[in-house]
Amino acid sequence: MQIIEQLFQRHRDKTTLGLLVILSLILLIIPQRAKFGMAKVALNGLFLPVDRVTHFVEDFREMREENRRLKRIAASLLLERERLAQFREERERLRRLADFKEEQFLKLVPCEVIGRNLDRYQTMLVIDKGARDSLRVRMPVLSYRGYVGRIIEVFGNSSWVQLICSRNNPVSCIDKRSRVVGILEWMHHSYFELKNVGIVEDVAIGDTLITSGFGGVVPKGFPVAVVSKVTHAIDGLSLRVEAKSYIKFRSLEEVFVVIDEIPWNQAIFYDMEDSLSVFGSARKNALYAR
Amino acid sequence: MRVSVLVIIAFVCLFLQVVALRKLSIGEISPDFALLLCSFFALYKGTIRGSLIGFVVGLFQDLFNPAFLGLNALTKTLIGYAFGHVGAKTVPERTLFLSAVFFLAALGHDFVYLIFFTALDMGNFIKMLFNVAIPSAVYTAVAGIVLHKLMLFINARMVRSVGQES
């Protein structure tokens, strides 16, 4: 203790630097669980309200334009939905005839991105749904364009999502065309590497990599990346497969958390007929007459 | 430099880092206002305050990415200390000198950061160094000069108004 006191008196700046560096290194080497616990305590309730206010103001501006765009999309989707409903019935009938396993439909919770890590290497997101919305750790998170990551920490009203563009979040993938399986690991920016692919396997540039569903955490069939480069690895036994994701991880604003699976034929579609029934027949007729 | 000016600049830097960083980014390239904040404190207030501010600001950033908790704190502490020495030996008013210092600080910061972040995977390390770190360092240097000019302007106005009152 005396030595530290003497050091502090003689070399105040160097001692301060030494102590801070040691403290930083301790923080770096402590177990991940403890790191997340500390960050959770510090952040919970402190930054979330500020971020919500900021997003509320931004959202308000964009809402009108988005509303107009969504109305157009809804109109075309309604027509498509009718066709799909017929296909679904036909498909189920054929699957039953072929004695296939009943397929599942995903139950998604739409979430808004309310925060992200503040440095330029984006690996985490904060979303606005948490334990109160039935979210749990390890649940998969999707965007409009495919799989983006999984939940690693759940709070009451928010959760942290570890993106796949992080070294500690590899995902099992399958080549959509040739069904070759590998582990997709992030390299840099939007680039990934599909590992454990043998030299005789059929993987080509332009192939889409989708989630394999192995392990039961990530649902099967979600696009993750597209193969951009295939070369022979240095070991001479495997292929070095590079893939590029088309998801813009830095600008994700809405994501979907898969909270459950429900039987395909019980999945509820939005039905215009149902929603109109509350208005009575006069309104319904007026809408159809347009 | 007045402490109140540094506090104003601290708020400006924090606002830019937390709220406006996404809008100021060009793809993956973005300035590091947190680094500039600890650089300003170190330049004008010495090594101890510089490294302390660097540690606190870095830790604040790390809270949003707990997987690398301590990494920004470490790099910004070192930058704060180094800038404190630079500030003690020179008068940091020349634009060219200052921009070079900001550039080297941002590059040095990213160099240490990427060593840990890429787990010494040399291929990724070099790619990220050239594609992200160097352009971001240039951007940070430019942003640093603008903020420094703003800081000098506010300081001059404050000194003038205090002089008139007395």
Side-chain angles (χ1 to χ4, degrees):
Chain A
M1 202 63 193
Q2 271 188 336
I3 298 167
I4 295 173
E5 220 173 279
Q6 276 183 351
L7 270 173
F8 203 74
Q9 276 168 2
R10 282 185 196 172
H11 309 285
R12 186 169 284 186
D13 55 343
K14 289 190 183 80
T15 315
T16 310
L17 175 73
L19 288 173
L20 293 177
V21 168
I22 291 167
L23 200 57
S24 306
L25 290 173
I26 291 170
L27 287 173
L28 265 172
I29 58 171
I30 58 172
Q32 290 279 338
R33 195 77 213 155
K35 283 183 189 178
F36 279 99
M38 286 163 72
K40 187 176 178 175
V41 170
L43 288 176
N44 202 10
L46 191 64
F47 297 113
L48 205 62
V50 179
D51 213 39
R52 278 193 176 201
V53 171
T54 319
H55 271 79
F56 180 77
V57 176
E58 280 181 7
D59 287 352
F60 195 72
R61 283 187 214 139
E62 292 169 11
M63 207 181 290
R64 188 173 286 178
E65 180 54 36
E66 193 178 6
N67 201 17
R68 203 173 294 147
R69 193 162 45 84
L70 286 174
K71 273 180 184 169
R72 277 202 300 271
I73 294 170
S76 63
L77 283 177
L78 207 68
L79 291 170
E80 203 171 333
R81 176 208 161 274
E82 280 304 320
R83 285 179 58 217
L84 284 174
Q86 289 167 28
F87 286 144
R88 183 181 67 174
E89 280 165 23
E90 187 182 328
R91 187 175 178 277
E92 281 306 307
R93 211 167 45 244
L94 292 170
R95 283 179 75 87
R96 271 199 300 275
L97 282 172
D99 206 19
F100 275 7
K101 186 186 163 212
E102 196 174 87
E103 208 169 330
Q104 302 289 301
F105 194 81
L106 298 173
K107 196 171 177 185
L108 303 173
V109 174
C111 302
E112 200 177 324
V113 177
I114 53 168
R116 48 193 82 224
N117 53 313
L118 290 176
D119 48 47
R120 64 178 73 99
Y121 306 103
Q122 202 88 74
T123 57
M124 295 253 309
L125 293 178
V126 187
I127 54 175
D128 68 338
K129 300 268 169 33
R132 289 193 191 120
D133 306 281
S134 311
L135 265 59
R136 301 280 176 273
V137 172
R138 287 162 66 89
M139 280 179 169
V141 181
L142 313 170
S143 80
Y144 297 110
R145 305 190 80 169
Y147 177 67
V148 294
R150 65 192 163 102
I151 293 179
I152 50 164
E153 194 68 58
V154 178
F155 304 86
N157 286 320
S158 66
S159 307
W160 283 350
V161 178
Q162 176 93 65
L163 297 174
I164 52 168
C165 56
S166 169
R167 291 190 74 80
N168 46 2
N169 195 9
V171 55
S172 171
C173 279
I174 193 165
D175 188 313
K176 195 174 164 186
R177 179 183 58 84
S178 61
R179 317 309 286 179
V180 171
V181 181
I183 304 289
L184 195 73
E185 278 187 16
W186 177 75
M187 286 163 56
H188 58 88
H189 300 99
S190 305
Y191 288 93
F192 293 80
E193 186 178 349
L194 188 70
K195 295 200 166 170
N196 304 338
V197 181
I199 200 157
V200 292
E201 305 281 14
D202 175 21
V203 180
I205 293 170
D207 284 0
T208 302
L209 301 176
I210 57 173
T211 51
S212 69
F214 297 161
V217 177
V218 183
K220 186 180 179 178
F222 282 97
V224 184
V226 175
V227 175
S228 58
K229 192 177 172 187
V230 182
T231 50
H232 287 194
I234 302 165
D235 59 15
L237 298 170
S238 56
L239 287 177
R240 187 177 153 77
V241 181
E242 278 185 32
K244 188 178 191 314
S245 170
Y246 290 103
I247 297 168
K248 289 180 180 167
F249 293 103
R250 288 173 70 85
S251 54
L252 281 173
E253 288 184 0
E254 295 99 21
V255 290
F256 301 92
V257 179
V258 182
I259 60 163
D260 202 359
E261 289 184 341
I262 46 177
W264 170 256
N265 52 4
Q266 285 175 25
I268 300 162
F269 280 108
Y270 172 78
D271 198 323
M272 199 178 181
E273 289 274 356
D274 297 342
S275 66
L276 288 174
S277 61
V278 294
F279 296 118
S281 58
R283 173 80 195 271
K284 197 191 270 187
N285 292 338
L287 268 167
Y288 278 127
R290 272 182 208 171
Chain B
M1 184 64 63
R2 298 171 73 90
V3 178
S4 51
V5 178
L6 284 171
V7 172
I8 292 168
I9 287 297
F11 276 109
V12 172
C13 286
L14 285 176
F15 173 82
L16 290 170
Q17 184 75 29
V18 176
V19 181
L21 192 70
R22 268 177 64 203
K23 291 194 169 67
L24 293 170
S25 298
I26 307 164
E28 297 274 325
I29 300 155
S30 53
D32 194 341
F33 292 105
L35 179 81
L36 291 173
L37 165 62
C38 70
S39 309
F40 288 137
F41 266 87
L43 276 173
Y44 289 104
K45 295 292 165 195
T47 49
I48 296 176
R49 287 186 204 175
S51 45
L52 276 170
I53 291 285
F55 181 79
V56 173
V57 170
L59 198 61
F60 173 76
Q61 274 189 297
D62 286 334
L63 286 176
F64 291 88
N65 188 13
F68 296 96
L69 191 72
L71 186 49
N72 269 308
L74 173 69
T75 48
K76 287 190 170 64
T77 303
L78 295 173
I79 293 298
Y81 184 78
F83 261 73
H85 273 295
V86 173
K89 285 176 184 164
T90 56
V91 184
E93 308 294 324
R94 281 177 295 154
T95 305
L96 197 65
F97 169 75
L98 206 59
S99 55
V101 171
F102 284 139
F103 174 78
L104 289 174
L107 199 60
H109 169 272
D110 274 17
F111 189 85
V112 179
Y113 190 94
L114 287 175
I115 287 174
F116 287 90
F117 189 72
T118 59
L120 271 178
D121 181 338
M122 284 316 285
N124 287 342
F125 178 81
I126 290 165
K127 270 180 192 164
M128 293 193 87
L129 190 71
F130 280 95
N131 293 343
V132 183
I134 292 174
S136 292
V138 174
Y139 200 169
T140 304
V142 174
I145 293 300
V146 174
L147 281 175
H148 188 252
K149 294 275 180 206
L150 176 71
M151 203 161 80
L152 293 177
F153 174 74
I154 297 171
N155 192 51
R157 289 293 292 264
M158 276 190 165
V159 169
R160 206 180 303 154
S161 64
V162 169
Q164 280 172 354
E165 277 172 24
S166 63

